[in-house]
Amino acid sequence: MTVQIQKYKMLIGGEWKDSANGAVSSVLDPSNNVQDRTRKLQS
Amino acid sequence: MSAKIALESAGWVDIDPSKRGRLLTKLTTLVRENSEQLAKLETMSEGKTLRESKGDVAWAARAFEYWAGLADKVEGETIPVPPRRLNYTLREPLGVTVHIVPWNYPIALAARSLAPAIAAGNTVVVKPSEITPLTAIMLGDLALKAGIPKGVINVVTGSGAEVGEALVSDPRVDGIVFTGSAETGTQVMESAAKNVTRVLLELGGKNPHIVFPDADLAKAAKSVKEGIFTNAGQMCWAGSRAFIHESIYDDFVKDLVAKTRAIKVGPGRDDTSEMGPLASKARQDVVLGFVKDGLEEGASLLCGGKKPSDPGLQKGNFVEPTIFENVNGKMKIGCDEIFGPVLGLTQFKTLDEVVAMANETDYGLYGGVWTSNLKVAHELAVRLQVGGLAVNEYLVTFPQTPFGGYKDSGIGHENGIRSLEFYTRTKNVSINLS
C-alpha cells in the first residue's frame, strides 16, 4: 500500500492551507515501497 | 506569524489556566476516541507495528492528560528578603515555541513537548518529519475540535532543510524543542544562538544494557531483545550495546539469539508482525552499511545482517534483527548510533570494567541494568553517565518522569514537572513596603 498526498495541508492560524510550494509529497508505506495505489488526504 | 498573534490575543493571554487544562483534557479524550485511526496512520507512514503504534497513541493521550492537570499549577514563589519588602516571582509563558518532531515516534514525541507548552500558556508551531506528518496533521484537527483557540497550535509541513531551518532561524520564536540527530541538533543550536533563542535538545544515544549473573536471566534476555528490536531499533534510547557478564555469557547469548531468530518480521499493519520495516530506503541502506563496517572491523555476526529472504518482504525497507559479538568501543558499530536493528555484544568481568566501557561513548542518554543486588544497582545509578537508568526493566518512561541526555545526547529534560522550567519565563518582583 502506498499513500500519496497530493498536497500536505498545514494548520496555520486555525485555517487549513496548502503546503508552501504546493508540491506533491509522497508518504510511502515502508513495508512496500512500490506505488500501487494513491490516496488523497485532506486535499 | 499566527502563533505570535494568538499568543497576544485576549482569548489566550487572558485565559483562566484551569480552562487551558480543560481544553487539554478534551484533547486527551479526542485522541483516545480516535486512537484506532491515529495508530493506523502512524503505522502507514512510519512502518512500525500496529501494536507499537497503539502504544504510542496511548502514551500521547496520557501526556495530554498529565499536563492538563498541571495547567493551573504553574506557580511562582515568595522569597524571604530583608524587612519591609515583599519579593515574589511570576511564572510567565515563554512565548512561541517551535517543535521539530522526528519520524520515529511522531505522535508520542509531538505530544511530549506540545502538551507542556500549551499547559504553560505558550502558542506552538509543530513541524513533523516530512516522511511521517500524518498524525501531527490529525492532531491539529483534533486540537481545533477540542476548542483550542485558532493559532495556538499550528502545524507546518515540509523538509527540515527548508521549513525547519526557517523556523529555528526566526527571531519571533522564543523556544525550540528539537529531537533528532546530534549533528542536526548542533545546527539547530547554532541557528538559535544567533537570536539568543532557548533550546531543548534530545539527541542520539548509544545506550548500554548491562546484565549481571544474579539477574532473572530469562527476563533480562527478553528485555535486551526488546530494548533493541522494538521499532526496528529506530530509537534514541535503543539498548544497542549489551554487556553480559562472562560467567553467564555463553548460555545467555544462546537464549538471546534464539529469541531474536524467532522474531517475526513483516509489515506493520499485519497483526502477527513483531518487527516492521525501517522508515525509509535510505535508513535501510545506512543500517546495512553499518553491518558491513562491523564485519570489516572484526566483529562476529551471530544472526541477521541482511534483508529478509521472504519473497513477500522484498519491496519493503526490512532488515533482519542483527546481533554482533566481540564488539568494542573503537568499532563504528560500537560507538556510532546506528538507529536500526543491530545489537553489539561485549563480555565483562568486573563492575569497574563495565562502567568504563559503558561510559566510553560521546552519548549519555539512557541505560539498563539487570541485577538482584541493590548495592550494584545503586552504584551504577551513580557511576553511569546517562540521563536515565532502568533497573530490571528497559524502555520505560512516563509523562511525569524526566527524560533527557547527558554529554552529546542533549540539553534539558522532557517530561515531568521540572520541564516547565523550559516552557516558562521567571520574572522577579520586588516591592518596597516602607
Side-chain angles (χ1 to χ4, degrees), chain A residues 3 8 11 13 29-30 33 42, chain B residues 44 130 137 154-155 269 317:
Chain A
V3 178
Y8 281 148
L11 179 60
D29 178 347
N33 278 331
Q42 296 179 352
Chain B
M44 186 187 293
E130 62 270 30
I137 292 172
N154 303 274
V155 182
R269 62 182 178 277
N317 310 321

Side-chain angles (χ1 to χ4, degrees), chain A:
Chain A
M1 179 171 59
T2 299
V3 178
Q4 186 174 58
I5 300 173
Q6 298 295 335
K7 291 176 182 173
Y8 281 148
K9 287 293 182 181
M10 304 202 296
L11 179 60
I12 299 175
E15 306 294 333
W16 290 102
K17 301 180 179 180
D18 288 344
S19 58
N21 55 13
V24 174
S25 300
S26 296
V27 175
L28 303 178
D29 178 347
S31 66
N32 183 351
N33 278 331
V34 178
Q35 295 192 13
D36 56 7
R37 181 174 159 187
T38 62
R39 179 186 295 177
K40 288 184 178 181
L41 184 82
Q42 296 179 352
S43 61

Side-chain angles (χ1 to χ4, degrees), chain B residues 151-412:
Chain B
V152 170
I153 294 179
N154 303 274
V155 182
V156 298
T157 52
S159 70
E162 199 172 350
V163 179
E165 174 58 25
L167 287 171
V168 301
S169 304
D170 195 315
R172 294 169 294 182
V173 169
D174 301 293
I176 299 165
V177 182
F178 172 82
T179 302
S181 71
E183 182 184 5
T184 308
T186 304
Q187 294 169 4
V188 167
M189 201 168 174
E190 286 175 357
S191 296
K194 291 172 184 168
N195 295 317
V196 198
T197 303
R198 195 181 294 187
V199 294
L200 198 169
L201 305 176
E202 200 247 277
L203 308 175
K206 191 69 181 176
N207 311 291
H209 207 156
I210 303 168
V211 182
F212 286 87
D214 59 354
D216 182 329
L217 297 178
K219 284 185 181 176
K222 182 172 182 287
S223 176
V224 169
K225 180 197 76 170
E226 293 175 351
I228 180 65
F229 299 124
T230 296
N231 203 19
Q234 301 168 115
M235 308 178 287
C236 53
W237 61 339
S240 52
R241 297 183 296 152
F243 297 96
I244 315 299
H245 192 268
E246 61 172 4
S247 66
I248 55 164
Y249 184 86
D250 291 342
D251 288 343
F252 186 91
V253 172
K254 186 178 176 184
D255 183 29
L256 176 64
V257 170
K259 284 180 164 69
T260 299
R261 288 187 196 278
I263 293 173
K264 185 174 185 299
V265 178
R269 62 182 178 277
D270 183 339
D271 283 340
T272 65
S273 296
E274 295 172 304
M275 192 182 95
L278 300 181
S280 67
K281 179 72 170 63
R283 290 303 316 159
Q284 184 189 43
D285 292 342
V286 168
V287 170
L288 291 174
F290 272 110
V291 171
K292 187 167 174 283
D293 291 336
L295 292 169
E296 289 174 357
E297 289 175 320
S300 307
L301 185 64
L302 295 181
C303 62
K306 61 185 188 306
K307 300 175 188 177
S309 55
D310 182 342
L313 302 182
Q314 299 308 304
K315 294 176 183 173
N317 310 321
F318 296 95
V319 172
E320 288 181 344
T322 300
I323 299 178
F324 280 102
E325 66 176 353
N326 300 321
V327 175
N328 64 55
K330 301 289 184 288
M331 298 175 178
K332 288 180 184 174
I333 63 167
C335 64
D336 289 352
E337 184 180 40
I338 299 173
F339 226 69
V342 180
L343 172 65
L345 300 178
T346 305
Q347 291 189 47
F348 72 93
K349 293 180 182 175
T350 67
L351 189 145
D352 286 345
E353 180 189 27
V354 77
V355 166
M357 290 191 292
N359 288 338
E360 193 176 5
T361 75
D362 293 332
Y363 294 111
L365 186 61
Y366 192 72
V369 174
W370 283 84
T371 179
S372 58
N373 186 331
L374 275 178
K375 186 180 172 189
V376 169
H378 284 304
E379 182 167 351
L380 285 170
V382 171
R383 295 179 64 184
L384 289 179
Q385 295 169 16
V386 294
L389 182 69
V391 178
N392 296 331
E393 60 182 2
Y394 199 80
L395 297 182
V396 177
T397 180
F398 302 96
Q400 61 268 41
T401 56
F403 191 90
Y406 282 14
K407 301 195 286 187
D408 290 356
S409 288
I411 295 175

